[in-house]
Amino acid sequence: MPAPERIPTGRVSTPDALTLLAKGELTARGRLREASNAVLYCAVSYEDEEAHCVYKPIAGERPLWDFPDGTLAQREVAAYEVSQATGWGLVPPTVLRDGPYGQGMVQLWVEADPEAALLALVEDDEPADGWKAVGLAEVGEGRAALLVHADDPRLRRLAVLDAVINNGDRKGGHLLPTADGTLYAIDHGVTFNVDDKLRTLLWGWAGEPLPSEAVTALTTLATALSDGGTLATRLAELLTPAEVAALSGRVAALLRSGTHPVPSGDWPAIPWPPV
């Protein structure tokens, strides 16, 4: 099936998008066959508003050894809630609702700008100005190239968010820069584990001091996650108490260290395949 045409997220405001996604009529248009779990491309319409979206039914989730069965959709919604609480809006509007194949995650489809370069493989030993090194990658025939990502404040925010939600699968294909300069990130099913699972292509700032905006966002998160905080109340509907407690612990640890995390060595640091 040819890739469906994507529409800009900016077509509807976030509150309107959430209403549209939660209450609109879902009509499946096709299936994204390259995905590891069932992912349906849908149209959603409500009153005078219409958009395209992704629908991931819980019934189509493949079991994972390190995550409870049937919880990936909830984790996707939780990632959206945490992203919103930071004020960065890095995750497209996302809801949990019933659909044609049962309850699942529904997320507004984002049209990515194919000309926006955020990742690259280079033959040099060091990254050029404006880029950060991730590590060496095999490119075939015994050759290796340096994997780099842009030294971009949008990516840096995402690196902080991934550390907070303990993202176990941040690949290049999950980055959706748009023509208006906004960056969105998708595919957050393997997040919020109580064990350290951070795997990402965004290691370029590892060990560096957190920027002031990250400290502000983390402080806001800490308050929202405190007992009776609005975010804590919402996440209690999506995650286990242990997972919410671990989330709070990661936020506190980042604030104590004041630095971007470094690979632990106990878990592969870079996802495979990286795209």
Side-chain angles (χ1 to χ4, degrees):
M1 183 188 74
E5 181 182 358
R6 297 188 175 190
I7 64 168
T9 298
R11 192 183 192 287
V12 287
S13 65
T14 296
D16 288 343
L18 293 177
T19 299
L20 173 63
L21 295 173
K23 297 184 177 181
E25 180 181 358
L26 284 176
T27 304
R29 301 297 191 195
R31 181 176 178 180
L32 307 186
R33 298 190 181 278
E34 69 273 16
S36 56
N37 296 304
V39 181
L40 299 178
Y41 173 70
C42 296
V44 59
S45 59
Y46 180 71
E47 295 182 344
D48 295 329
E49 198 64 68
E50 183 173 323
H52 293 126
C53 62
V54 166
Y55 164 48
K56 298 183 180 180
I58 292 173
E61 295 178 3
R62 295 182 180 179
L64 298 173
W65 69 269
D66 51 351
F67 285 85
D69 293 350
T71 66
L72 304 190
Q74 293 92 322
R75 296 172 194 279
E76 295 244 30
V77 179
Y80 167 74
E81 296 288 351
V82 173
S83 169
Q84 287 299 103
T86 64
W88 290 334
L90 291 166
V91 180
T94 311
V95 302
L96 190 69
R97 58 162 289 179
D98 286 331
Y101 299 99
Q103 191 176 59
M105 181 278 281
V106 176
Q107 185 176 80
L108 195 66
W109 191 294
V110 174
E111 181 179 6
D113 179 4
E115 301 301 319
L118 296 176
L119 296 163
L121 286 168
V122 298
E123 300 293 338
D124 303 321
D125 294 331
E126 298 291 335
D129 289 344
W131 294 85
K132 306 287 283 188
V134 179
L136 292 175
E138 294 292 332
V139 293
E141 301 180 353
R143 296 171 52 246
L146 185 66
L147 177 63
V148 298
H149 65 67
D151 188 3
D152 187 311
R154 301 170 301 170
L155 285 182
R156 193 165 191 173
R157 293 172 192 144
L158 185 58
V160 174
L161 178 66
D162 282 343
V164 167
I165 66 177
N166 197 15
N167 192 350
D169 193 35
R170 172 60 70 213
K171 297 178 179 178
H174 302 164
L175 308 176
L176 301 180
T178 65
D180 67 1
T182 304
L183 174 68
Y184 293 99
I186 60 171
D187 286 348
H188 297 102
V190 287
T191 50
F192 298 103
N193 200 299
V194 297
D195 298 323
D196 182 10
K197 298 285 186 179
L198 185 59
R199 292 196 305 175
T200 177
L201 294 180
L202 304 180
W203 287 115
W205 298 282
E208 294 186 14
L210 293 168
S212 59
E213 69 164 353
V215 174
T216 299
L218 290 168
T219 302
T220 299
L221 276 181
T223 300
L225 287 167
S226 61
D227 290 341
T230 54
L231 183 59
T233 300
R234 175 64 177 130
L235 293 181
E237 302 171 357
L238 302 165
L239 305 171
T240 69
E243 289 166 344
V244 176
L247 168 63
S248 295
R250 289 189 295 271
V251 172
L254 286 167
L255 284 170
R256 285 195 303 271
S257 71
T259 61
H260 286 271
V262 298
S264 67
D266 299 327
W267 180 255
I270 297 176
W272 189 261
V275 296

